[in-house]
Amino acid sequence: MRLKFLDGMRGWASVFVVLFHVFVDGLSPVPWATHLRYVLPFNGGMAVFCFFVISAISLSVGYLASGEIGSIARIAAARYIRLAIPVFAICLLVHLVLLSGWVDRSDRLPNFRFLFQFEPTLRHLLTFGLFDVFFRYSPLETYAGPLWTMQPEMLGSIVTLAAAIIVRPIRFRIAVLAGLAASMFYMAETSTSQMLAIFPLGIALADAMLRGWLDRMSVFIAALAAVAGGVLIPALFPYSVLAWGMIAAPLLIAGSIRLPSIRNLMSNPISEWLGWLSFPLYLVHGPVISLVGEPMMRSNPSIAWGLTVDGLVIVGSITAAVLFAHLVNDPAVQLARWFGSVVVARLRLRASAARSA
């Protein structure tokens, strides 16, 4: 099931992440800009948590609706390819830039000093770009700071697909999913593993949407209150996976799904285009900031120049994302779908042969 308004939400969330990294945490030329993080369009943390909720809804809603095991098997078979090809491509591009010697790694701005302190060997590229980024992420070994989300995204995908299969036969599955999320959160040992608890909540939202519960909210103001809660909680409470990820983000997504005005906004052509661009924009904006924006910002400390660099970085990130989408991301999506279909088809043939035997 392709729900265009979810793509639109994902697209705007990617824009919010870019605004956060450009104006708040990274290239900001003015100290007071850090206060922008309390305003939703500049809150990268909330945007990432919304990514996770939307991802869980998108991965589970088709299977919850149909119960067809082939649909979720196709997603499971294709998931690594769908994520790994674009991620490895961005790592490869940064790797080649590092090998060229164009990047001065000795005198960088404070927010960027931890980047690129490794030797760009072929072994490092293959190890990090194909495995570590998903299962053993280290900020000291990364090619781009925003890649930290790939580990909870990959592991959260596994949690989502497995949980959807397990809970679908259960009548009170929303309660089970809520209990699973609470258990995963309180048993987690790190903040990254705590984030995995967000994904069962996304499945619960998908199920509530399919059952029509969100549309049947008896009081329309409840949806407005949910959106308000999603906006105000990050502004009033300090960052935490519990407050922002497990309460604010699901509230914001649920209220947005319920309100026709927001759903229509998230389904318009601009939002749809941003949804298509969301993953490429998320991947490329980090390298554009660290490889282009940071050296330019370092050359002139004035606020006027800094704001000019910020604007150039945004335009450059969007332009690079469009090229990356056409050249890398779209082919990766097609290849992943083909691979998933082939795997499911072969499994069905083997199952049919086994039954015949």
Side-chain angles (χ1 to χ4, degrees), residues 109-349:
L109 295 175
N111 288 342
F112 298 87
R113 286 176 183 166
F114 73 94
L115 279 175
F116 312 141
Q117 298 306 309
F118 54 84
E119 287 301 319
T121 63
L122 178 60
R123 179 178 180 180
H124 181 273
L125 171 66
L126 296 175
T127 302
F128 179 85
L130 295 175
F131 183 83
D132 287 356
V133 67
F134 297 114
F135 304 107
R136 197 172 54 195
Y137 180 84
S138 169
L140 299 178
E141 304 294 331
T142 189
Y143 287 93
L147 290 179
W148 72 267
T149 62
M150 292 301 103
Q151 181 172 334
E153 177 65 33
M154 178 63 77
L155 298 178
S157 298
I158 297 172
V159 169
T160 299
L161 298 174
I165 293 173
I166 293 171
V167 303
R168 190 181 186 276
I170 302 174
R171 182 178 179 183
F172 303 103
R173 50 183 172 264
I174 289 183
V176 173
L177 289 165
L180 175 63
S183 300
M184 291 177 64
F185 177 81
Y186 286 108
M187 293 175 62
E189 297 181 355
T190 65
S191 60
T192 300
S193 54
Q194 284 180 340
M195 294 177 193
L196 300 182
I198 299 172
F199 289 84
L201 299 179
I203 306 173
L205 277 182
D207 194 47
M209 182 175 61
L210 290 172
R211 294 176 185 232
W213 290 1
L214 297 182
D215 292 330
R216 291 199 303 267
M217 282 185 182
S218 57
V219 183
F220 188 74
I221 194 113
L224 294 174
V227 172
V231 173
L232 292 177
I233 288 174
L236 299 176
F237 295 90
Y239 171 89
S240 73
V241 176
L242 178 60
W244 290 22
M246 298 186 66
I247 299 176
L251 281 176
L252 181 60
I253 300 301
S256 299
I257 292 173
R258 172 62 179 86
L259 292 173
S261 57
I262 296 182
R263 284 183 64 157
N264 292 336
L265 177 63
M266 294 297 106
S267 303
N268 69 25
I270 295 176
S271 298
E272 186 177 350
W273 182 77
L274 287 175
W276 166 74
L277 196 66
S278 59
F279 194 41
L281 181 59
Y282 184 85
L283 291 179
V284 306
H285 84 278
V288 171
I289 289 174
S290 59
L291 299 176
V292 180
E294 191 273 341
M296 293 176 66
M297 189 73 75
R298 196 191 324 161
S299 66
N300 187 338
S302 70
I303 293 178
W305 174 248
L307 293 175
T308 301
V309 172
D310 287 345
L312 292 174
V313 163
I314 292 173
V315 173
S317 295
I318 294 174
T319 303
V322 171
L323 293 173
F324 191 85
H326 285 297
L327 298 176
V328 179
N329 194 65
D330 287 355
V333 170
Q334 296 300 321
L335 179 61
R337 289 175 178 171
W338 171 81
F339 181 77
S341 297
V342 168
V343 169
V344 170
R346 292 192 175 184
L347 289 175
R348 284 175 172 169
L349 283 174

